[in-house]
Amino acid sequence: MRNILITGGAGFIGSNFVRYWTGRHPQDRVVNLDALTYAACLDNVASVADAPGYTFVQGDIRDAALLETVFAEHAPDAVMHLAAESHVDRSIVRPDAFIQTNIVGTFNLLELARANQERLRRFHHISTDEVFGSLGTEGSFTEETAYRPNSPYSASKAG
C-alpha cells in the first residue's frame, strides 16, 4: 500500500491522474491537495470522491504550515506535484502569482520532501515544455535542450 500526495489533483491533468491511480491501485491512499482556483473543479474527481482510500484537502502549496500538517497526517511516501499557476497570458498580467505558486510553492514541497526523506520514496514534479522556449516548425526538445523561457509562466516553471 502506498500513500500518494497529488497536488493540483482537481485540475485537468491532476484529476485524470487521480482517477487513473484510484482505479488502478484501489489499495493505495490518495490525498488530493488542491487550492480550487480558476483551473480546478471538484466535479473532475466526483467519480472517486467516495473511494475508500481517497481524501480531498482544499489547500494551497504556498501555505507551508498546511503542507506540514498534510505530511504529518497523511505520511505520503510519494508526491506527484502538478499544482501550478498556468496560462501565459495570465502570467504577463500578474507574474507575482506565478512566482509564489510555481517557485515558492514548489520549494515548500521540496523542503518537506527533504525533511521526510526517510519515508518519501518518490517526488515527481510535472512541468512544461515551455521552459525550452519556442520549438518552431521542426525538431524536438530533449533533456539536453537549454532552457529558454519566453514568459513569466515558463520562467517560473524553469525556476
Side-chain angles (χ1 to χ4, degrees):
M1 182 174 94
R2 289 170 279 213
N3 296 329
I4 300 174
L5 171 63
I6 301 169
T7 67
F12 177 72
I13 295 171
S15 63
N16 278 284
F17 184 77
V18 166
R19 291 191 310 272
Y20 166 81
W21 197 268
T22 56
R24 214 50 208 262
H25 305 279
Q27 74 284 359
D28 289 353
R29 291 177 47 208
V30 172
V31 177
N32 176 359
L33 174 69
D34 200 295
L36 295 180
T37 62
Y38 66 93
C41 177
L42 279 179
D43 289 344
N44 293 342
V45 290
S47 64
V48 299
D50 295 325
Y54 176 78
T55 303
F56 175 74
V57 176
Q58 184 171 355
D60 196 315
I61 62 171
R62 296 175 297 179
D63 185 343
L66 171 71
L67 290 177
E68 286 181 23
T69 300
V70 168
F71 269 71
E73 288 180 8
H74 300 283
D77 51 47
V79 173
M80 177 67 75
H81 177 33
L82 297 136
E85 293 288 338
S86 62
H87 304 302
V88 171
D89 292 347
R90 289 186 65 253
S91 76
I92 293 166
V93 173
R94 186 149 179 246
D96 57 317
F98 288 73
I99 300 300
Q100 291 303 310
T101 299
N102 298 351
I103 296 176
V104 176
T106 299
F107 172 78
N108 290 340
L109 285 165
L110 288 169
E111 283 296 292
L112 278 166
R114 187 168 59 160
N116 292 277
Q117 62 185 315
E118 69 284 346
R119 177 183 68 233
L120 195 66
R121 295 188 183 139
R122 298 271 189 259
F123 188 104
H124 293 284
H125 178 210
I126 308 305
S127 189
T128 176
D129 66 342
E130 291 193 39
V131 299
F132 301 116
S134 298
L135 185 57
T137 58
E138 294 183 23
S140 60
F141 298 126
T142 70
E143 289 81 9
E144 288 81 34
T145 301
Y147 280 16
R148 288 189 172 83
N150 293 322
S151 69
Y153 165 64
S154 57
S156 71
K157 293 299 281 186

